Amino acid sequence: MTIQVVRILDKLLRPHIVTPINIELERNFHRLRNDFKNNDQYLIDSILYDLSVIDAKSTALLTHISVIIAALVFSLSFFQDWFFRLAVGLEIIAYFLVTLVNLRCVYIMGPPHRGNVDDSKLYEEDFIAECLMRRTIYMYCLRSLFVLTSIIPIIALFKIIIEIISFLS
């Protein structure tokens, strides 16, 4: 079931947020990183390193999202006006959507979840494509969270201004 969900998510995301997958460009990136080591094992090590870093960074984003969602849910009790409840509710939904996309970055690779284990060239290309996909998804999520997180103080400031105006009048 999980494998099917990831495949569906990949089909939905790839055309919109991932630049066309260029296996050679990604392979050269990892080879240049390790150009002093002329061995394909270092290529896989470089890819696995990137996957590990992306995994750690995605986990940090998930922590950030969890804290923000908890704070937003808590803040709903302070907003009685329908406009602010709607704004915070939409913000929470947006955070949940980013969470779903970001969870793709911590997907586990390997049998039986991945094919191409019999052909080393396809196996390598599969890891390279996965690394590119995760890096692009991570950057998309990071940019989205930057925008979403910057909206929160704007909503709060707007609410404070309205409260001050209503208090003064």
Side-chain angles (χ1 to χ4, degrees):
M1 167 95 172
T2 305
I3 300 166
Q4 294 164 337
V5 171
V6 169
R7 287 185 182 146
I8 290 169
L9 188 60
D10 282 355
K11 285 181 183 177
L12 291 172
L13 292 176
R14 189 165 279 156
H16 301 290
I17 65 169
V18 178
T19 55
I21 293 179
N22 185 336
I23 299 296
E24 278 308 308
L25 186 64
E26 190 72 15
R27 180 180 287 119
N28 288 338
F29 168 79
H30 292 285
R31 284 213 170 110
L32 284 173
R33 178 188 282 172
N34 297 296
D35 61 354
F36 60 94
K37 304 169 187 168
N38 217 357
N39 185 335
D40 282 342
Q41 178 58 40
Y42 291 108
L43 174 68
I44 292 297
D45 288 345
S46 176
I47 293 167
L48 291 175
Y49 172 78
D50 274 8
L51 289 174
S52 175
V53 168
I54 293 167
D55 182 274
K57 289 176 176 279
S58 295
T59 303
L61 283 184
L62 289 171
T63 303
H64 168 80
I65 292 169
S66 299
V67 169
I68 294 294
I69 288 175
L72 287 173
V73 168
F74 178 73
S75 73
L76 275 174
S77 63
F78 297 108
F79 296 119
Q80 303 306 321
D81 187 3
W82 69 269
F83 174 78
F84 291 104
R85 286 178 140 313
L86 178 66
V88 172
L90 290 174
E91 184 92 7
I92 291 169
I93 291 169
Y95 270 99
F96 273 115
L97 292 174
V98 173
T99 301
L100 289 174
V101 173
N102 191 34
L103 282 172
R104 173 60 182 80
C105 290
V106 293
Y107 176 69
I108 301 295
M109 293 183 64
H113 308 293
R114 288 297 220 219
N116 303 330
V117 292
D118 296 331
D119 184 343
S120 63
K121 185 77 168 166
L122 289 175
Y123 181 74
E124 179 184 282
E125 287 180 3
D126 198 27
F127 269 89
I128 291 171
E130 182 69 18
C131 188
L132 177 59
M133 178 79 159
R134 288 186 190 190
R135 186 183 310 119
T136 306
I137 289 171
Y138 170 75
M139 290 307 299
Y140 168 77
C141 289
L142 186 63
R143 290 177 186 136
S144 298
L145 288 178
F146 180 79
V147 171
L148 288 172
T149 304
S150 63
I151 290 173
I152 295 170
I154 294 170
I155 292 172
L157 182 63
F158 191 59
K159 176 66 175 167
I160 291 169
I161 291 171
I162 288 179
E163 290 295 323
I164 291 172
I165 290 171
S166 69
F167 178 75
L168 295 176
S169 53

